[in-house]
Amino acid sequence: MTLGPLEEELAKARAAYRDRGRWGAEDVLGTLNFIDDAIRAHAAGLVRRGRCFSLAQEFDAPAAEHGRRAGTRWDGLGRGSATEQAWHGRSSTGTDGDGGGDDAVTGVERLRDAFTGRGVLLDVGRAVGDARGELPDGHPISEEQLRDTVEAQGATSSVRRGDIVLVRTGQLGRVRRLGAWERYVSGDAPGLSFTTLGWLHRTEIAAVAADTWGLEVRPSGFAEPAAAPLHRIAVPHLGLPLGERWDLEALAEDCAADGVYEFLLVAAPLPGSGAAGTPVNPIAVK
């Protein structure tokens, strides 16, 4: 589906999907406020077998040859752009979206203990992809496909308020198999469509991450060039942290084997002072 003029769609999304002010003018957590003590206690109770999965790519992986920071990461609330302000309408000056910056208000160090809760894997690659469980590059994941994935996987993948949702496209597995790392960094990629913003907002999830370089589909689906349009709404207007380059392959194999797609997820960021983004070694425990 090709979207209309970029600025018109961005303006409509800013008005429709907005959590600014919801937790007060001084808030530094955004949608991570949805994770409360009860949710964390419930998530701890999901551990049955004690099986751990690291969801991090190695920093010395071949992708590092093609990108400054190749590791698994969170984008925090300080990420902005030349045309979008950061969370709560603050200036995004100094926050480059790649981990640098001087954001004294919502630097990722403020989130150091916030990313613990119920993780849910939505293996869209297996649910709607090819025989290998992979989506083709450039495939836009729609809200309908997210819902179809939940239905196909069963009750343990139902998405609830405060969840940290992990979206597997299968692209990382394909790139690793073929050695096509340059395409992983800069080529077309499957990912969340701009049209999923309503679902991201309505479900009140705490954060979302994927196995691709930039989480959202490339190209963006707009008729004109558009640099990360979903990021431009999700972070500064929803207050939603976004995870990129997560390695979901081993976890997905296990979930497909036992039919359980929920788990305790501990994904604390490195507390780099004032950073807009940070490397992370997420641990899923089943």
Side-chain angles (χ1 to χ4, degrees), residues 114-264:
F115 284 102
T116 298
R118 179 181 183 251
V120 177
L121 176 69
L122 299 187
D123 193 346
V124 185
R126 274 185 173 81
V128 302
D130 62 17
R132 290 184 180 270
E134 299 169 0
L135 299 175
D137 290 336
H139 178 92
I141 297 172
S142 66
E143 176 177 338
E144 180 180 9
Q145 289 173 339
L146 293 173
R147 295 198 306 265
D148 288 347
T149 300
V150 172
E151 182 176 355
Q153 293 180 172
T156 62
S157 66
S158 61
V159 176
R160 308 169 187 167
R161 181 182 188 184
D163 284 346
I164 301 173
V165 174
L166 312 183
V167 178
R168 179 186 173 274
T169 70
Q171 190 200 35
L172 177 60
R174 177 169 64 251
V175 165
R176 186 176 284 141
R177 185 175 70 252
L178 301 177
W181 290 101
E182 185 172 3
R183 289 167 56 188
Y184 183 66
V185 175
S186 57
D188 291 355
L192 293 179
S193 164
F194 185 81
T195 62
T196 62
L197 280 166
W199 184 89
L200 295 172
H201 185 238
R202 187 171 61 254
T203 53
E204 296 187 330
I205 61 173
V208 63
D211 57 351
T212 63
W213 186 263
L215 181 120
E216 59 185 285
V217 64
R218 294 193 315 227
S220 66
F222 284 90
E224 57 191 293
L230 184 145
H231 280 65
R232 291 168 62 178
I233 302 300
V235 177
H237 297 280
L238 272 68
L240 181 70
L242 305 178
E244 301 163 337
R245 308 160 209 166
W246 288 45
D247 187 347
L248 305 175
E249 293 302 290
L251 175 64
E253 289 286 344
D254 190 83
C255 291
D258 72 359
V260 177
Y261 291 84
E262 61 180 353
F263 38 84
L264 171 65

Side-chain angles (χ1 to χ4, degrees), residues 71 96 250 275:
D96 63 14

Side-chain angles (χ1 to χ4, degrees), residues 27-28 76-80 86-88 90-96 99-111 235 272-277:
D27 175 62
V28 298
L77 300 187
R79 173 166 177 164
W87 181 232
H88 281 318
R90 295 178 298 97
S91 170
S92 62
T93 302
T95 57
D96 63 14
D102 54 5
D103 182 4
V105 179
T106 57
V108 293
E109 73 275 13
R110 309 284 183 145
L111 310 178
V235 177
S273 180

